[in-house]
Amino acid sequence: MLLRSFIICCYLMGAYWASYHFPSLKMVFYPTLGAFSFLFMHRVDQIKDVGRITIGAIIAVTIGSVMYSVNHGAVSFFLTAIVTISLIQLFKWNAAPILAVSFVPFFAHPTSIWALPSAVLVSLLGLMVSVWLIGKVEQMPVISKWSEALALFRSKVTPTPVKKEL
């Protein structure tokens, strides 16, 4: 898990750095990317599921962008929420960040209808590549032995919880 955390944090740092230093990449980093990262980090072995969630996020942010471009008000926000929740249930995407990313247009105020969906697509594809890389690195024999040794060391160092009797 340490390797996964390190790679994901490096990716998030890179996305934040790029969005901060290059105005054209301003929307590549958004707080929901952290939630997607944490979710994907625990699904390294399920790359198809990660792909489905990514597609769901692209659809949701596109719906949010279209609704925001039609009207900036509460009714559009409500319609975005109800449509996105319905799609999550219909396709069994089982990922709360999908709903959260659909709301980003209402807070980021994109200049173009396609600016945010394309930024989310780029950032989530980069995250998928990172997750794929984690899966490949963890399959290397040296890394798997190192990971097992670290887990054994951690179990010896961590104190066992004391059970209190009533």
Side-chain angles (χ1 to χ4, degrees):
M1 194 58 79
L2 180 65
L3 178 66
R4 291 178 184 190
S5 299
F6 181 76
I7 291 174
I8 292 297
C9 288
C10 285
Y11 177 76
L12 288 172
M13 178 185 66
Y16 175 74
W17 182 86
S19 69
Y20 186 75
H21 285 83
F22 301 104
S24 61
L25 299 177
K26 181 179 91 176
M27 286 191 264
V28 169
F29 179 81
Y30 45 94
T32 312
L33 186 59
F36 278 112
S37 298
F38 191 77
L39 181 69
F40 289 3
M41 184 171 74
H42 293 285
R43 296 184 182 194
V44 168
D45 302 331
Q46 305 161 351
I47 199 72
K48 286 185 179 181
D49 195 30
V50 168
R52 287 177 1 99
I53 291 170
T54 300
I55 290 168
I58 301 305
I59 292 169
V61 75
T62 303
I63 291 168
S65 290
V66 168
M67 294 293 191
Y68 177 79
S69 69
V70 170
N71 183 354
H72 306 320
V75 174
S76 288
F77 188 89
F78 174 78
L79 290 174
T80 299
I82 199 75
V83 169
T84 303
I85 289 171
S86 299
L87 290 174
I88 289 170
Q89 291 173 340
L90 178 69
F91 293 111
K92 296 176 178 54
W93 285 326
N94 195 21
I98 292 175
L99 180 61
V101 81
S102 73
F103 299 145
V104 172
F106 293 91
F107 300 99
H109 311 291
T111 56
S112 167
I113 192 171
W114 299 109
L116 193 56
S118 59
V120 169
L121 175 66
V122 167
S123 63
L124 288 181
L125 287 178
L127 186 57
M128 281 185 64
V129 168
S130 298
V131 167
W132 177 81
L133 177 68
I134 291 168
K136 293 300 178 187
V137 169
E138 285 181 339
Q139 290 176 357
M140 296 171 61
V142 173
I143 300 297
S144 63
K145 287 181 183 178
W146 177 74
S147 181
E148 289 172 13
L150 185 62
L152 181 64
F153 175 74
R154 190 180 308 162
S155 68
K156 288 183 179 181
V157 173
T158 308
T160 57
V162 177
K163 292 183 181 179
K164 294 182 180 180
E165 293 185 29
L166 297 175

